[in-house]
Amino acid sequence: MKNVVILGYASLDHVIALDGLAVPGQTTRITERREDAWNRMGGAPWFIARILEQAGSCQTVPVTWIGDDRSGEYYLSAMKEIGASTAGIRVIPGGRTPVTLMVYEPSGEAICLYDPLPAAGDTRPSLEAGHRDLIAQADWLVLTIAPADATLAALENCRSDAKVAWVAKKDAHALPPHLLERIVQRADIIFCSETEGSTIRDALAGTQAKPDLILVETYGRRGSSLEIRGERTLLQPPAMLPVLDPCGAGDTLAAGTLSCLIRDAGSPEAALRQGMQDAYHLLSQRQNSEEKE
């Protein structure tokens, strides 16, 4: 049984769609606010832990921060329900659990508004001694968006023989240049979207990455690519799914891919195909939910 620590911000998602562009000084109507997409579990630690626990062969340990409010209770309960360990989830007294507002305009473009402040006053999320111990015991460390200091501390505390996966996101606060360099030097596998691809490739070109690094780049409805030692393979998606809200699909793809790699179940290409299938399944569930409304 592999121990997999997943570092990242917690979130409860709130998804809405608008009938036009959001313009200051002008009222824009909300056209959709489904009950199943309002106060819904979100954040990379959740999406990744859910798939890894379903696949078995590992114990997931999300390392994240929530408040001691009702939303925090809901978050903890959901993590326990899927079988994830809650040993790394820090409940901050007097804090509020983070939320994300996913606001979709008619074009399908999303405005992502994230409130990462789980604590009262000026308390900032950080790695505590217990977190460091959990990371030191991990066979895999999965990095997502987290406070920069926490990500750096996680890299410093993980074992030299531990595998490191990075699910990249664009966030200047969480990813200063010096930290980006450290991550790409240490990572065994990197997942990024087409939007983030150029930044990742520039970082890889300017530093010494591992020779067998696996780079996965996603292109939405156009599929994904797998690159190892300069050899790039393009994989087509299972099918086209016109869904309003694809939030979490990239994290789910990463988790499905990792589930195979952690279990040593097939080649990296086969692993990525599994990840794409898991993302397709998530979106098909969303599509069914949208059609029922």
Side-chain angles (χ1 to χ4, degrees):
M1 180 75 73
K2 300 289 187 181
N3 287 326
V4 182
V5 167
I6 309 163
L7 173 66
Y9 284 120
S11 177
L12 292 179
D13 291 350
H14 303 267
V15 181
I16 61 176
L18 306 179
D19 69 352
L21 299 179
V23 179
Q26 175 180 309
T27 298
T28 303
R29 291 183 179 273
I30 295 173
T31 57
E32 291 190 53
R33 184 168 73 86
R34 299 185 310 278
E35 290 185 6
D36 65 343
W38 194 256
N39 203 36
R40 180 187 70 194
M41 285 291 290
W46 160 255
F47 285 113
I48 295 172
R50 184 178 65 90
I51 295 297
L52 291 182
E53 288 292 341
Q54 286 177 1
S57 300
C58 68
Q59 173 64 69
T60 61
V61 186
V63 170
T64 192
W65 303 265
I66 58 175
D68 62 349
D69 50 9
R70 293 181 64 182
S71 294
E73 293 175 3
Y74 174 72
Y75 189 92
L76 275 175
S77 176
M79 281 294 191
K80 290 177 181 177
E81 186 174 340
I82 64 171
S85 169
T86 58
I89 301 177
R90 172 75 164 92
V91 180
I92 299 178
R96 65 180 184 271
T97 298
V99 298
T100 299
L101 297 179
M102 294 298 299
V103 184
Y104 289 93
E105 296 182 332
S107 65
E109 292 295 318
I111 301 169
C112 179
L113 305 175
Y114 182 59
D115 176 9
L117 304 173
D122 295 326
T123 304
R124 297 178 58 191
S126 61
L127 287 193
E128 300 174 358
H131 290 143
R132 295 170 191 266
D133 290 342
L134 291 169
I135 291 168
Q137 297 167 19
D139 300 296
W140 278 78
L141 171 62
V142 182
L143 301 174
T144 69
I145 287 297
D149 291 346
T151 301
L152 182 59
L155 288 170
E156 292 173 344
N157 281 270
C158 71
R159 301 195 321 251
S160 60
D161 64 333
K163 297 287 188 179
V164 175
W166 180 33
V167 184
K169 295 286 192 301
K170 267 196 167 183
D171 187 325
H173 296 287
L175 200 65
H178 73 277
L179 182 56
L180 173 60
E181 182 178 347
R182 287 287 299 273
I183 295 174
V184 298
Q185 287 175 341
R186 184 64 178 82
D188 294 278
I189 180 167
I190 296 174
F191 298 89
C192 66
S193 68
E194 185 175 17
T195 304
E196 299 139 359
S198 60
T199 300
I200 303 302
R201 293 178 189 280
D202 287 345
L204 289 170
T207 190
Q208 187 65 44
K210 292 186 176 181
D212 56 350
L213 171 70
I214 300 172
L215 178 62
V216 173
E217 189 169 354
T218 60
Y219 311 109
R221 297 179 183 178
R222 292 185 286 117
S224 305
S225 68
L226 178 74
E227 187 172 332
I228 307 174
R229 296 182 181 272
E231 294 291 328
R232 186 166 172 267
T233 304
L234 182 64
L235 281 70
Q236 297 297 320
M240 298 287 285
L241 284 175
V243 296
L244 166 69
D245 172 32
C247 181
D251 294 327
T252 300
L253 179 147
T257 305
L258 288 173
S259 72
C260 291
L261 296 176
I262 291 170
R263 292 181 288 119
D264 196 22
S267 67
E269 181 176 334
L272 178 53
R273 290 190 186 280
Q274 178 61 54
M276 294 173 70
Q277 187 62 47
D278 287 330
Y280 173 81
H281 181 64
L282 172 74
L283 295 181
S284 65
Q285 289 179 318
R286 296 261 178 89
Q287 185 184 50
N288 290 338
S289 176
E290 290 172 10
E291 290 174 350
K292 289 178 182 178
E293 285 293 324

